[in-house]
Structure formats: C-alpha cells, structure tokens
Amino acid sequence: MSFAMGLGASLRALSAARLGIQTASQNIANVNTPGYSRQRLLLSSSQPYTLGGFQVGSGVQVADVRRLVDEGLIARVANQESVVGAARVRYERLREIEGLFADGAGGVAERMSELFGALGALQSDPGDGALRGGVVQAGEAFTSGLNLVGKQLGALGNDVFREVQGLVAAVQSGAQTIADLNAEIVRLEANGSMANDLRDRRDQAIRDLSALVDVRRVDHSSGSVDLIVGGRLLVAGRRADTVQVSRDASGATRVTIGSNRRPANLEGGRIGALLELEQSAGPAYLARLDRLTREMVLGFDRIHTTGVPGDGPFQSLTAGYGAVDTNGNGVLGDELLQDLGLPFVIRHGELFVRVTDRSSGDASHHRIAIDPSATTLQELARDLSGIEHLQASVDTSGRLRIQADQGYGFDFAPALDARPDPLGLFGGAAPRAATAGEGPFDLNTAGFPQTFTVDVEGTVEVVTFEASDFADPARATAAEVAAAIDADLTRGEALVDGDRVVLRASGSGTPASMTLAEGAGSPLAALGLPAGTFQGQDYGVDVRIHGEYSGTANQRFRFVAVGDGEIGITPDLQVDVYDESGRRVATLDVGDGYDGSELTVADGVRVSFTQGAISATAHDAFGVDAIADPDTADLLVGLGLNTFFLGATAETVRVNPDLVADPGRLAAGRYGSTGDTGNLLQFQALQDRPSGALGGLDLTGYVGGLIADVGFEAGRASSTLETQESLGAFLEEQRLSISGVDLDEEMLDLVAWQQAFEAASRMVSVVQEMTDTLLDLGR
C-alpha cells in the first residue's frame, strides 16, 4: 500500500508540474493579448493518510488556477477609458479642424493658398501641361481638406445621428457579449472554480464599452456583472437591454435604453462627447465652412464655365449634376429647371453658346433665354438642339449632354465673333433680301392663301402662305416664315438671322440675280421684304470684328447699311451701329477713302470691312453679340457644365473628374487665343475680393477668423486630453504591475516547473523499480 501511495504522490506531482507548465505557457502565449491577466497555479498538500499511527503525506494537489487582478483598479481603468474616450473625441475633432484650417502644411488655409499659387504660376505659361496638372492637383488637395473638415463637422452636427447609430450598434453588441459571458461564467463557476479567461474577456469588453459610453458596474457573488449606462440598466445578468437611437422634435440625436423612452443621460465616452458637440461646435462650424465652400465654388465655376479649355472647344460635354425626379412620374428632365433639385439656383437670364467650325476657325454665338419657372430640362435640350451643328439630350441619369457635329466644337466663351456674317447676309456674293424688322410678323391683315414670286435667274417660283403654316398668323415667327418659304423654294433658301428673315438665291457672282414680286395678300409688305431685283457680286464683303468687349452688361450691336454702294468707293457710304435698346452708338464711314482699317464701335469693339457692295434697299445688316457674362442665369454652374468644382458643401465638393482625367480641359483663358490668361487673372482676383455672403470679408480673412475661433477650443481640448491620458496611463501601469505578464518571471517559472516535472517523473521510475524488485522476490 505504501508503494501505491508513493506512486499516487508521484502522479499528483507530475500532474501539478504539468499544470504549472501549462499555466506559464498560457501566460507567455498571451503576453500581448489586450486585457489578459496573468494566472498563477495555487497548490496545497493533498490529504495525508495514517500509517502505523503516523500521518504520512500523500503529495500535492492543485487548489486552483487564479488570475492576478485588483478588481477596484480594473473598474477605475474602465471608468477612465470613458473619460479619455470623450476627451479624445473633443480633441480630435477640434484639433483636426484647427489643423485643416491652420496656416501650416495640410491646412485648408495653406491648401487654398497653394491653389491660388498654382494659378499664379500657370500665368507664366498657360499652355504648360505640368503647370496645368499642378493647378488640378492643388484643387484636389484643397477639396480633400474641405471634405475632411466637412465630414468631421458633419459628424458633430447633421451627421451625428448616423455616427451614433453605428456606435450604438457597437454598444449593443458589446452589451450582448458581456451578457453572454455572464451566463457562461456563472455556469462554469458553479462548482467553485474560476473562469479566468472568460473574466478577462468580460473585463476587456467592459473596458471597450466604456470608451463609447459611461459605464458603472455592479458585481455579484455568483460571478455575474450588471452594467448601468446613463442612469439606465443596460446589462442585468444574462440579459442585455436594447439601445435605440432617434431624433427629437428639434432634430437632436437622443439615445434610449430599454422601454424607457426618456433619453439616457450620457456624459462620457465617444457617444457622450458626440452628443455634446452636436449641440455646440459642430453645427456652427459646419455652417461657416459650407458658406466658405459655396462662395469658393460659385466664384470659380462662374469663371471656369465660360472659359475656353486648353485643347479648344468641346466635342461633347455632359453635366455634372443630374435631374431629380421631383414630380415622381419616373421621367427625368420633365421638371422645370427651378425644380431639378440642383445644388445651385438657376436664375432668369440668358446663355450664350459659341459654335466653332474647326476647319476654318469661324465661330458664331447663339443666345438662349433661360426662364427656370417656365422651362424644363428637356425643353432646354430641345433649344440647344435648335442650334446648327449641336445636338442635346437628357441621358438616363438625368444629365444634360451636348454633342457637336463632326468638324465642329462648342463652348461658352465671351469672345467676340471674328466673322459675324458667315452666311454673307451683309454685302454677300449671292443676291439677297431681308425683312426690314424683326419678328413676330402680322400676316393676318389679308386672307389666306397669300403669295409672292421669287425669280432666280429666270426660274420663277411661287411661295404660298397658308394659315396652317403659323401657330398664330398675327404673330408669325421668323422660323415659321422661313419654313413656309423653304417649302416652296428650290432655287434659294430662307435664313433666320436673329428674328429677321433673309431670302438668298442659290447662285452667286455678278450674273446672279433674284427678283421678288408681290402676289395675293401682299405678304412682302407685311414682312417688310423689299420687292425688286437684287444682284450678286463676284466678291462678297468680308466683315471682321476685333478687340475685347469691355462693357459691364451683355449687349448686341446691330450694323445696318445706310445707302447702296461700294465700300471704299461710293462717297458718303455709311454703316450705322445700334445697341440692343435701339440707340445708335456709332456711324461708320466706309465710303470713298476707306481702306479696310479697323473702325471703333464702342466699349473696346472694333470692326473692319473688305471691299464689296452693300445695300440698304436689301436691308443688309448683321449683328454682333458683345458679351460681358455668357451665363447670366448661372445655368452652367447649376447643371455642372464645364465647372472647375462639383458639389456645394464642404463634405461633397470635389474637382470636376473631367479635369482630373484631362488637365488640358482647364479653362485658363477667357477667349481661347494663344497665351490667353484672362480666366487666371479672374481666379486670382477672387482671393482678395470682399463678399457679402462672408460678412464683407474676403476668402483669406474668412478662413483666418475660423482659425482663430477653433484654435482656442482646440487648445483647451488638448490640455484636457493630456491630463486625462496621463491619468489613464498611470492607472494602466498600476494594472499591469499586478496583472501584466513578465516574460522573465514566466521563463523562470517554466524552468522550475520543468525541473519539478522531471523530479516527479524520476519518482515514478523509482517506485516502479521498487515494485518490480518486490515482485521478483515473491517469485
């Protein structure tokens, strides 16, 4: 029996040493595990037995495997996590805002300065591809800074609700994890042992939860832990209550726990700090930042949309913003322009579109009236498609798309049309005659049908007007009249010049002629078309416009022939120039002695004529659009056509992806001429231009005010965080001194347990040898 007892003691020693090795190995393996508490094997002597009247020991037994912790210190560490979590949110948000707005590298102020600096550098060589790319990159850096600040402020203001929703999901998950661990710990510890690893996981889960919300724990003798958050019981044993997020009547975020509909009083952790900042810094700073963004975008895009890309006019262009189906009928673009849900308001005004013939370089402007309260996006596309060599449509995403015919391009530049009479309507080589005035025309003075004849070099054709040709015969438009004439005319054509109608014969040169004669109803008189014969000429008058318009308002100059004769030959031959109001602004002498030199019109506009015949009888005239602002309606900005930026808020603004993909589309010039830096100069002027929307400050001054305001708050938050982190580090150091794993100590323990295991193994061998010897003696 004594040998058996010796063997039992040896086996218990082996088992204890094995558990000791396993415990030390467990500690070493978890040296870097967050929240792990080192464990120690507790040993005691096993129950002795009586032999010959003496108590003889039976070896060692394992009493328990316990973790080394200070429960009170663990609770203080978790509470400090809540304080530090809140302080860190305040500091991070305010410091982030300060950093992005500050004058240092990476700040919004610095990035804005870099953008203007890149624009200034481009002025030295506007065609340089690398410098253009530098402007685009500087713009991206600036918008990324705005995005970052906007997102942070959004999280503290309008977007706090969504962020808190995500954090509350983590709270709910953490609470359920703790409740599940409670149940498992109670079950495993029912027999008196300690669930060390599960308790470590629960402590770490509570600590993680404390970083999100303020937590107070209540421990029970069963091993379970209750958690109270914001004055509400969140975890009770194995049950975790629900946490919900909603908005109150004022739009503020509120968090409730369980069935109690009153908001929990959250004062600590990330959620508590976010709820506090939602009511303080977030909304105010976000509104100020959005104001800055909006003014910057409007200023830049009003300039850029009407500039000319470095690689010339567009072949196609798609809007950056799509229409919203606000009427809910499933059709995009049938809403009025004012109802499209765009980030910028489209106003009453006008848009000038310039179409360029790429082969000849000839360009012409076309004016479209914009009434956002009466025009839909689809109707705008129709109006654009009415411009020769352009097609426009609304795509499936609700975006306006404009396409030029092959060989043509378009833009919205204010440049004067160098050749304002490409059709030869003023002293052209083909016989021609125009209406004296502009439409609409009253054709209702006589009955229908009405007729007149057109004799082109002996071929007589009768033009007939029917009442059905016009929507309202008393207000017949130039387009309706031209269409009715073209339906009957084969040896000529009817053209629309503004709101005038011009008949032009198909032939040209000195032999060519065209004779107009009245028929039934006298439509020529009603239209103001002259009856008579009109001759062609071998060389038509070539009209050229020079200079840059310096006026402050859009204008259309009308050049009208005064008398019939040869330019440079006929004495006293003149051309009168009228502005849009009908006021005569200049009389140009083009008669005897005129040598084709440039003549001053008004506001920087000049004109020159080559030799050729002009005719007041034929109502020779042409118009020139003098444009100060090609888009007085902000249509291009509103739709996002050829913009530098897209987006209207700090969080959404970005550089137009078309520019990022191709910096050649940067509109450095205002007119498109070589070396043109007109837009660059206007961009530069924005930096120091006072704005009413910014309280009379310029962009630089406005940013400076933000820097000063946020700097004070950030400094205070920094001081608070430093203090709380210092305290947290001290508490964590205290915890680690008790619960942390020391590798040197564990290695010593591992060696000691290894030696104990070897000794116990030797004991087993000795008992085995003694047993074998006794058995041999018995044989």
Side-chain angles (χ1 to χ4, degrees), residues 345-387:
V345 175
I346 298 175
R347 305 173 298 177
H348 285 265
E350 57 189 4
L351 173 70
F352 287 89
V353 184
R354 185 174 71 159
V355 178
T356 301
D357 184 333
R358 296 186 188 275
S359 61
S360 66
D362 291 342
S364 59
H365 275 100
H366 305 269
R367 182 188 306 203
I368 297 177
I370 305 298
D371 183 355
S373 64
T375 305
T376 68
L377 187 61
Q378 291 176 345
E379 289 170 341
L380 173 64
R382 180 200 62 198
D383 292 343
L384 288 167
S385 295
I387 298 174

mmCIF file of all heavy atoms in Angstrom, residues 345-387:
data_model
loop_
_atom_site.group_PDB
_atom_site.id
_atom_site.type_symbol
_atom_site.label_atom_id
_atom_site.label_comp_id
_atom_site.label_asym_id
_atom_site.label_seq_id
_atom_site.Cartn_x
_atom_site.Cartn_y
_atom_site.Cartn_z
ATOM 1 N N VAL A 345 -28.867 77.486 -57.566
ATOM 2 C CA VAL A 345 -30.105 78.007 -58.140
ATOM 3 C C VAL A 345 -29.859 78.526 -59.554
ATOM 4 O O VAL A 345 -28.897 79.251 -59.807
ATOM 5 C CB VAL A 345 -30.671 79.131 -57.261
ATOM 6 C CG1 VAL A 345 -31.898 79.766 -57.913
ATOM 7 C CG2 VAL A 345 -31.024 78.597 -55.871
ATOM 8 N N ILE A 346 -30.722 78.125 -60.479
ATOM 9 C CA ILE A 346 -30.716 78.683 -61.827
ATOM 10 C C ILE A 346 -31.664 79.876 -61.847
ATOM 11 O O ILE A 346 -32.801 79.782 -61.389
ATOM 12 C CB ILE A 346 -31.147 77.632 -62.865
ATOM 13 C CG1 ILE A 346 -30.146 76.462 -62.863
ATOM 14 C CG2 ILE A 346 -31.245 78.225 -64.257
ATOM 15 C CD1 ILE A 346 -30.550 75.311 -63.772
ATOM 16 N N ARG A 347 -31.178 80.998 -62.375
ATOM 17 C CA ARG A 347 -31.944 82.234 -62.331
ATOM 18 C C ARG A 347 -32.477 82.589 -63.725
ATOM 19 O O ARG A 347 -32.096 81.985 -64.722
ATOM 20 C CB ARG A 347 -31.056 83.380 -61.818
ATOM 21 C CG ARG A 347 -30.409 83.099 -60.473
ATOM 22 C CD ARG A 347 -29.420 84.182 -60.114
ATOM 23 N NE ARG A 347 -28.320 84.255 -61.069
ATOM 24 C CZ ARG A 347 -27.345 85.152 -61.006
ATOM 25 N NH1 ARG A 347 -27.346 86.057 -60.054
ATOM 26 N NH2 ARG A 347 -26.357 85.146 -61.890
ATOM 27 N N HIS A 348 -33.348 83.590 -63.757
ATOM 28 C CA HIS A 348 -33.757 84.153 -65.043
ATOM 29 C C HIS A 348 -32.535 84.820 -65.678
ATOM 30 O O HIS A 348 -31.792 85.542 -65.014
ATOM 31 C CB HIS A 348 -34.860 85.194 -64.842
ATOM 32 C CG HIS A 348 -36.198 84.602 -64.545
ATOM 33 N ND1 HIS A 348 -37.150 84.374 -65.520
ATOM 34 C CD2 HIS A 348 -36.733 84.161 -63.386
ATOM 35 C CE1 HIS A 348 -38.216 83.838 -64.968
ATOM 36 N NE2 HIS A 348 -37.999 83.703 -63.665
ATOM 37 N N GLY A 349 -32.340 84.590 -66.949
ATOM 38 C CA GLY A 349 -31.195 85.189 -67.623
ATOM 39 C C GLY A 349 -31.051 84.634 -69.014
ATOM 40 O O GLY A 349 -32.033 84.212 -69.642
ATOM 41 N N GLU A 350 -29.823 84.615 -69.493
ATOM 42 C CA GLU A 350 -29.558 84.129 -70.843
ATOM 43 C C GLU A 350 -28.225 83.400 -70.878
ATOM 44 O O GLU A 350 -27.337 83.641 -70.055
ATOM 45 C CB GLU A 350 -29.555 85.283 -71.842
ATOM 46 C CG GLU A 350 -28.572 86.385 -71.512
ATOM 47 C CD GLU A 350 -28.747 87.601 -72.404
ATOM 48 O OE1 GLU A 350 -29.675 87.609 -73.224
ATOM 49 O OE2 GLU A 350 -27.937 88.545 -72.273
ATOM 50 N N LEU A 351 -28.133 82.488 -71.834
ATOM 51 C CA LEU A 351 -26.921 81.705 -72.049
ATOM 52 C C LEU A 351 -26.465 81.903 -73.485
ATOM 53 O O LEU A 351 -27.273 81.828 -74.419
ATOM 54 C CB LEU A 351 -27.187 80.223 -71.785
ATOM 55 C CG LEU A 351 -26.045 79.260 -72.121
ATOM 56 C CD1 LEU A 351 -24.901 79.447 -71.124
ATOM 57 C CD2 LEU A 351 -26.523 77.817 -72.128
ATOM 58 N N PHE A 352 -25.171 82.164 -73.658
ATOM 59 C CA PHE A 352 -24.586 82.275 -74.986
ATOM 60 C C PHE A 352 -23.752 81.028 -75.258
ATOM 61 O O PHE A 352 -22.873 80.672 -74.470
ATOM 62 C CB PHE A 352 -23.705 83.520 -75.096
ATOM 63 C CG PHE A 352 -24.481 84.797 -75.153
ATOM 64 C CD1 PHE A 352 -24.827 85.465 -73.990
ATOM 65 C CD2 PHE A 352 -24.862 85.334 -76.371
ATOM 66 C CE1 PHE A 352 -25.543 86.649 -74.043
ATOM 67 C CE2 PHE A 352 -25.577 86.514 -76.438
ATOM 68 C CZ PHE A 352 -25.921 87.180 -75.273
ATOM 69 N N VAL A 353 -24.036 80.380 -76.382
ATOM 70 C CA VAL A 353 -23.288 79.206 -76.819
ATOM 71 C C VAL A 353 -22.522 79.587 -78.087
ATOM 72 O O VAL A 353 -23.103 80.117 -79.038
ATOM 73 C CB VAL A 353 -24.216 78.010 -77.111
ATOM 74 C CG1 VAL A 353 -23.398 76.772 -77.471
ATOM 75 C CG2 VAL A 353 -25.117 77.734 -75.921
ATOM 76 N N ARG A 354 -21.223 79.313 -78.079
ATOM 77 C CA ARG A 354 -20.404 79.609 -79.256
ATOM 78 C C ARG A 354 -20.085 78.306 -79.984
ATOM 79 O O ARG A 354 -19.571 77.359 -79.377
ATOM 80 C CB ARG A 354 -19.102 80.310 -78.851
ATOM 81 C CG ARG A 354 -18.277 80.745 -80.059
ATOM 82 C CD ARG A 354 -17.067 81.558 -79.649
ATOM 83 N NE ARG A 354 -16.044 80.760 -78.987
ATOM 84 C CZ ARG A 354 -14.762 81.117 -78.891
ATOM 85 N NH1 ARG A 354 -14.356 82.262 -79.395
ATOM 86 N NH2 ARG A 354 -13.898 80.338 -78.270
ATOM 87 N N VAL A 355 -20.415 78.261 -81.264
ATOM 88 C CA VAL A 355 -20.140 77.087 -82.105
ATOM 89 C C VAL A 355 -19.018 77.448 -83.074
ATOM 90 O O VAL A 355 -19.080 78.483 -83.749
ATOM 91 C CB VAL A 355 -21.398 76.644 -82.867
ATOM 92 C CG1 VAL A 355 -21.074 75.446 -83.762
ATOM 93 C CG2 VAL A 355 -22.515 76.304 -81.897
ATOM 94 N N THR A 356 -17.989 76.585 -83.131
ATOM 95 C CA THR A 356 -16.801 76.861 -83.947
ATOM 96 C C THR A 356 -16.630 75.806 -85.024
ATOM 97 O O THR A 356 -16.737 74.601 -84.757
ATOM 98 C CB THR A 356 -15.540 76.893 -83.063
ATOM 99 O OG1 THR A 356 -15.695 77.899 -82.063
ATOM 100 C CG2 THR A 356 -14.297 77.201 -83.884
ATOM 101 N N ASP A 357 -16.375 76.274 -86.247
ATOM 102 C CA ASP A 357 -16.013 75.383 -87.349
ATOM 103 C C ASP A 357 -14.507 75.122 -87.219
ATOM 104 O O ASP A 357 -13.692 76.020 -87.401
ATOM 105 C CB ASP A 357 -16.332 76.060 -88.678
ATOM 106 C CG ASP A 357 -16.070 75.151 -89.878
ATOM 107 O OD1 ASP A 357 -15.202 74.252 -89.779
ATOM 108 O OD2 ASP A 357 -16.714 75.349 -90.920
ATOM 109 N N ARG A 358 -14.145 73.887 -86.893
ATOM 110 C CA ARG A 358 -12.743 73.587 -86.606
ATOM 111 C C ARG A 358 -11.846 73.779 -87.838
ATOM 112 O O ARG A 358 -10.671 74.123 -87.699
ATOM 113 C CB ARG A 358 -12.607 72.160 -86.081
ATOM 114 C CG ARG A 358 -13.307 71.915 -84.748
ATOM 115 C CD ARG A 358 -13.002 70.518 -84.238
ATOM 116 N NE ARG A 358 -13.793 70.178 -83.065
ATOM 117 C CZ ARG A 358 -13.474 70.496 -81.816
ATOM 118 N NH1 ARG A 358 -12.369 71.189 -81.587
ATOM 119 N NH2 ARG A 358 -14.244 70.136 -80.804
ATOM 120 N N SER A 359 -12.383 73.553 -89.010
ATOM 121 C CA SER A 359 -11.554 73.661 -90.219
ATOM 122 C C SER A 359 -11.233 75.108 -90.558
ATOM 123 O O SER A 359 -10.103 75.431 -90.946
ATOM 124 C CB SER A 359 -12.251 72.989 -91.401
ATOM 125 O OG SER A 359 -13.493 73.622 -91.667
ATOM 126 N N SER A 360 -12.186 76.003 -90.416
ATOM 127 C CA SER A 360 -11.967 77.404 -90.783
ATOM 128 C C SER A 360 -11.679 78.294 -89.587
ATOM 129 O O SER A 360 -11.143 79.389 -89.737
ATOM 130 C CB SER A 360 -13.201 77.941 -91.509
ATOM 131 O OG SER A 360 -14.327 77.988 -90.631
ATOM 132 N N GLY A 361 -12.057 77.832 -88.403
ATOM 133 C CA GLY A 361 -11.898 78.661 -87.208
ATOM 134 C C GLY A 361 -13.026 79.642 -87.015
ATOM 135 O O GLY A 361 -13.054 80.390 -86.023
ATOM 136 N N ASP A 362 -13.998 79.677 -87.941
ATOM 137 C CA ASP A 362 -15.132 80.592 -87.812
ATOM 138 C C ASP A 362 -16.004 80.173 -86.637
ATOM 139 O O ASP A 362 -16.248 78.980 -86.404
ATOM 140 C CB ASP A 362 -15.974 80.598 -89.090
ATOM 141 C CG ASP A 362 -15.236 81.245 -90.254
ATOM 142 O OD1 ASP A 362 -14.253 81.968 -89.989
ATOM 143 O OD2 ASP A 362 -15.638 81.018 -91.412
ATOM 144 N N ALA A 363 -16.476 81.175 -85.887
ATOM 145 C CA ALA A 363 -17.304 80.895 -84.723
ATOM 146 C C ALA A 363 -18.509 81.822 -84.713
ATOM 147 O O ALA A 363 -18.452 82.954 -85.221
ATOM 148 C CB ALA A 363 -16.501 81.079 -83.433
ATOM 149 N N SER A 364 -19.598 81.348 -84.162
ATOM 150 C CA SER A 364 -20.811 82.161 -84.054
ATOM 151 C C SER A 364 -21.453 81.925 -82.691
ATOM 152 O O SER A 364 -21.421 80.813 -82.159
ATOM 153 C CB SER A 364 -21.798 81.808 -85.166
ATOM 154 O OG SER A 364 -22.159 80.427 -85.087
ATOM 155 N N HIS A 365 -22.013 83.001 -82.139
ATOM 156 C CA HIS A 365 -22.693 82.912 -80.851
ATOM 157 C C HIS A 365 -24.193 82.730 -81.050
ATOM 158 O O HIS A 365 -24.771 83.255 -82.001
ATOM 159 C CB HIS A 365 -22.449 84.178 -80.026
ATOM 160 C CG HIS A 365 -21.175 84.132 -79.244
ATOM 161 N ND1 HIS A 365 -20.023 84.763 -79.662
ATOM 162 C CD2 HIS A 365 -20.858 83.534 -78.069
ATOM 163 C CE1 HIS A 365 -19.062 84.553 -78.788
ATOM 164 N NE2 HIS A 365 -19.537 83.820 -77.812
ATOM 165 N N HIS A 366 -24.789 81.996 -80.120
ATOM 166 C CA HIS A 366 -26.228 81.759 -80.154
ATOM 167 C C HIS A 366 -26.776 82.008 -78.755
ATOM 168 O O HIS A 366 -26.270 81.456 -77.769
ATOM 169 C CB HIS A 366 -26.531 80.327 -80.600
ATOM 170 C CG HIS A 366 -25.898 79.986 -81.917
ATOM 171 N ND1 HIS A 366 -26.520 80.170 -83.118
ATOM 172 C CD2 HIS A 366 -24.651 79.496 -82.203
ATOM 173 C CE1 HIS A 366 -25.714 79.801 -84.102
ATOM 174 N NE2 HIS A 366 -24.573 79.382 -83.576
ATOM 175 N N ARG A 367 -27.799 82.827 -78.683
ATOM 176 C CA ARG A 367 -28.360 83.231 -77.405
ATOM 177 C C ARG A 367 -29.607 82.409 -77.091
ATOM 178 O O ARG A 367 -30.484 82.247 -77.939
ATOM 179 C CB ARG A 367 -28.709 84.716 -77.437
ATOM 180 C CG ARG A 367 -29.263 85.249 -76.131
ATOM 181 C CD ARG A 367 -29.782 86.672 -76.272
ATOM 182 N NE ARG A 367 -28.781 87.573 -76.822
ATOM 183 C CZ ARG A 367 -28.802 88.895 -76.634
ATOM 184 N NH1 ARG A 367 -29.748 89.439 -75.901
ATOM 185 N NH2 ARG A 367 -27.873 89.650 -77.185
ATOM 186 N N ILE A 368 -29.664 81.885 -75.849
ATOM 187 C CA ILE A 368 -30.833 81.142 -75.398
ATOM 188 C C ILE A 368 -31.366 81.822 -74.144
ATOM 189 O O ILE A 368 -30.633 81.992 -73.159
ATOM 190 C CB ILE A 368 -30.498 79.672 -75.089
ATOM 191 C CG1 ILE A 368 -30.022 78.957 -76.354
ATOM 192 C CG2 ILE A 368 -31.699 78.951 -74.492
ATOM 193 C CD1 ILE A 368 -29.608 77.514 -76.115
ATOM 194 N N ALA A 369 -32.619 82.200 -74.156
ATOM 195 C CA ALA A 369 -33.244 82.797 -72.976
ATOM 196 C C ALA A 369 -33.572 81.703 -71.959
ATOM 197 O O ALA A 369 -34.076 80.629 -72.328
ATOM 198 C CB ALA A 369 -34.517 83.541 -73.372
ATOM 199 N N ILE A 370 -33.265 81.965 -70.706
ATOM 200 C CA ILE A 370 -33.464 80.982 -69.640
ATOM 201 C C ILE A 370 -34.518 81.503 -68.669
ATOM 202 O O ILE A 370 -34.348 82.559 -68.052
ATOM 203 C CB ILE A 370 -32.150 80.710 -68.879
ATOM 204 C CG1 ILE A 370 -31.042 80.283 -69.843
ATOM 205 C CG2 ILE A 370 -32.386 79.654 -67.793
ATOM 206 C CD1 ILE A 370 -31.317 79.006 -70.582
ATOM 207 N N ASP A 371 -35.608 80.757 -68.552
ATOM 208 C CA ASP A 371 -36.649 81.060 -67.571
ATOM 209 C C ASP A 371 -36.884 79.801 -66.748
ATOM 210 O O ASP A 371 -37.600 78.890 -67.183
ATOM 211 C CB ASP A 371 -37.944 81.480 -68.273
ATOM 212 C CG ASP A 371 -39.043 81.865 -67.282
ATOM 213 O OD1 ASP A 371 -38.824 81.712 -66.059
ATOM 214 O OD2 ASP A 371 -40.112 82.325 -67.719
ATOM 215 N N PRO A 372 -36.256 79.698 -65.582
ATOM 216 C CA PRO A 372 -36.342 78.450 -64.815
ATOM 217 C C PRO A 372 -37.747 78.118 -64.336
ATOM 218 O O PRO A 372 -38.023 76.964 -64.012
ATOM 219 C CB PRO A 372 -35.407 78.714 -63.624
ATOM 220 C CG PRO A 372 -35.348 80.198 -63.506
ATOM 221 C CD PRO A 372 -35.465 80.728 -64.894
ATOM 222 N N SER A 373 -38.632 79.090 -64.323
ATOM 223 C CA SER A 373 -40.001 78.836 -63.874
ATOM 224 C C SER A 373 -40.910 78.393 -65.010
ATOM 225 O O SER A 373 -42.085 78.078 -64.774
ATOM 226 C CB SER A 373 -40.581 80.097 -63.211
ATOM 227 O OG SER A 373 -40.679 81.156 -64.144
ATOM 228 N N ALA A 374 -40.395 78.387 -66.245
ATOM 229 C CA ALA A 374 -41.234 78.026 -67.387
ATOM 230 C C ALA A 374 -40.579 77.032 -68.327
ATOM 231 O O ALA A 374 -41.204 76.581 -69.281
ATOM 232 C CB ALA A 374 -41.614 79.292 -68.170
ATOM 233 N N THR A 375 -39.314 76.671 -68.078
ATOM 234 C CA THR A 375 -38.565 75.808 -68.994
ATOM 235 C C THR A 375 -38.132 74.537 -68.272
ATOM 236 O O THR A 375 -37.602 74.592 -67.154
ATOM 237 C CB THR A 375 -37.316 76.526 -69.530
ATOM 238 O OG1 THR A 375 -37.710 77.766 -70.129
ATOM 239 C CG2 THR A 375 -36.594 75.673 -70.558
ATOM 240 N N THR A 376 -38.335 73.393 -68.907
ATOM 241 C CA THR A 376 -37.854 72.130 -68.366
ATOM 242 C C THR A 376 -36.477 71.819 -68.930
ATOM 243 O O THR A 376 -36.023 72.440 -69.896
ATOM 244 C CB THR A 376 -38.810 70.973 -68.713
ATOM 245 O OG1 THR A 376 -38.749 70.735 -70.126
ATOM 246 C CG2 THR A 376 -40.238 71.300 -68.297
ATOM 247 N N LEU A 377 -35.825 70.814 -68.346
ATOM 248 C CA LEU A 377 -34.511 70.413 -68.837
ATOM 249 C C LEU A 377 -34.621 69.846 -70.250
ATOM 250 O O LEU A 377 -33.747 70.069 -71.098
ATOM 251 C CB LEU A 377 -33.885 69.389 -67.889
ATOM 252 C CG LEU A 377 -32.439 69.001 -68.173
ATOM 253 C CD1 LEU A 377 -31.526 70.219 -68.064
ATOM 254 C CD2 LEU A 377 -31.968 67.905 -67.200
ATOM 255 N N GLN A 378 -35.678 69.106 -70.511
ATOM 256 C CA GLN A 378 -35.866 68.552 -71.850
ATOM 257 C C GLN A 378 -36.102 69.665 -72.871
ATOM 258 O O GLN A 378 -35.621 69.589 -74.009
ATOM 259 C CB GLN A 378 -37.042 67.571 -71.844
ATOM 260 C CG GLN A 378 -36.759 66.295 -71.065
ATOM 261 C CD GLN A 378 -37.964 65.380 -70.996
ATOM 262 O OE1 GLN A 378 -39.081 65.788 -71.282
ATOM 263 N NE2 GLN A 378 -37.740 64.142 -70.590
ATOM 264 N N GLU A 379 -36.814 70.712 -72.465
ATOM 265 C CA GLU A 379 -37.029 71.845 -73.377
ATOM 266 C C GLU A 379 -35.721 72.597 -73.620
ATOM 267 O O GLU A 379 -35.471 73.085 -74.721
ATOM 268 C CB GLU A 379 -38.090 72.777 -72.795
ATOM 269 C CG GLU A 379 -39.498 72.176 -72.827
ATOM 270 C CD GLU A 379 -40.502 73.000 -72.045
ATOM 271 O OE1 GLU A 379 -40.076 73.816 -71.183
ATOM 272 O OE2 GLU A 379 -41.710 72.822 -72.265
ATOM 273 N N LEU A 380 -34.889 72.693 -72.591
ATOM 274 C CA LEU A 380 -33.582 73.310 -72.780
ATOM 275 C C LEU A 380 -32.763 72.504 -73.784
ATOM 276 O O LEU A 380 -32.091 73.069 -74.663
ATOM 277 C CB LEU A 380 -32.841 73.391 -71.443
ATOM 278 C CG LEU A 380 -31.387 73.868 -71.506
ATOM 279 C CD1 LEU A 380 -31.313 75.304 -72.016
ATOM 280 C CD2 LEU A 380 -30.719 73.750 -70.133
ATOM 281 N N ALA A 381 -32.808 71.166 -73.669
ATOM 282 C CA ALA A 381 -32.095 70.308 -74.621
ATOM 283 C C ALA A 381 -32.618 70.538 -76.040
ATOM 284 O O ALA A 381 -31.845 70.569 -77.004
ATOM 285 C CB ALA A 381 -32.249 68.844 -74.219
ATOM 286 N N ARG A 382 -33.922 70.726 -76.156
ATOM 287 C CA ARG A 382 -34.501 70.999 -77.477
ATOM 288 C C ARG A 382 -33.996 72.330 -78.030
ATOM 289 O O ARG A 382 -33.674 72.446 -79.218
ATOM 290 C CB ARG A 382 -36.022 71.022 -77.349
ATOM 291 C CG ARG A 382 -36.767 71.292 -78.667
ATOM 292 C CD ARG A 382 -38.162 71.779 -78.381
ATOM 293 N NE ARG A 382 -38.126 73.042 -77.649
ATOM 294 C CZ ARG A 382 -39.161 73.533 -76.956
ATOM 295 N NH1 ARG A 382 -40.304 72.863 -76.888
ATOM 296 N NH2 ARG A 382 -39.050 74.699 -76.331
ATOM 297 N N ASP A 383 -33.933 73.351 -77.165
ATOM 298 C CA ASP A 383 -33.441 74.658 -77.616
ATOM 299 C C ASP A 383 -31.980 74.569 -78.059
ATOM 300 O O ASP A 383 -31.579 75.193 -79.056
ATOM 301 C CB ASP A 383 -33.580 75.682 -76.493
ATOM 302 C CG ASP A 383 -35.038 76.010 -76.175
ATOM 303 O OD1 ASP A 383 -35.906 75.706 -77.018
ATOM 304 O OD2 ASP A 383 -35.306 76.540 -75.083
ATOM 305 N N LEU A 384 -31.191 73.822 -77.331
ATOM 306 C CA LEU A 384 -29.789 73.663 -77.718
ATOM 307 C C LEU A 384 -29.670 72.900 -79.041
ATOM 308 O O LEU A 384 -28.808 73.208 -79.868
ATOM 309 C CB LEU A 384 -29.022 72.936 -76.609
ATOM 310 C CG LEU A 384 -28.754 73.749 -75.337
ATOM 311 C CD1 LEU A 384 -28.294 72.840 -74.206
ATOM 312 C CD2 LEU A 384 -27.697 74.822 -75.607
ATOM 313 N N SER A 385 -30.531 71.906 -79.220
ATOM 314 C CA SER A 385 -30.503 71.147 -80.470
ATOM 315 C C SER A 385 -30.938 72.001 -81.649
ATOM 316 O O SER A 385 -30.639 71.681 -82.809
ATOM 317 C CB SER A 385 -31.412 69.915 -80.359
ATOM 318 O OG SER A 385 -30.922 69.019 -79.388
ATOM 319 N N GLY A 386 -31.635 73.096 -81.374
ATOM 320 C CA GLY A 386 -32.032 74.010 -82.436
ATOM 321 C C GLY A 386 -30.877 74.827 -82.982
ATOM 322 O O GLY A 386 -31.012 75.491 -84.020
ATOM 323 N N ILE A 387 -29.734 74.801 -82.297
ATOM 324 C CA ILE A 387 -28.536 75.490 -82.782
ATOM 325 C C ILE A 387 -27.865 74.590 -83.826
ATOM 326 O O ILE A 387 -27.629 73.405 -83.578
ATOM 327 C CB ILE A 387 -27.570 75.790 -81.626
ATOM 328 C CG1 ILE A 387 -28.231 76.716 -80.605
ATOM 329 C CG2 ILE A 387 -26.282 76.409 -82.140
ATOM 330 C CD1 ILE A 387 -27.400 76.960 -79.358
#
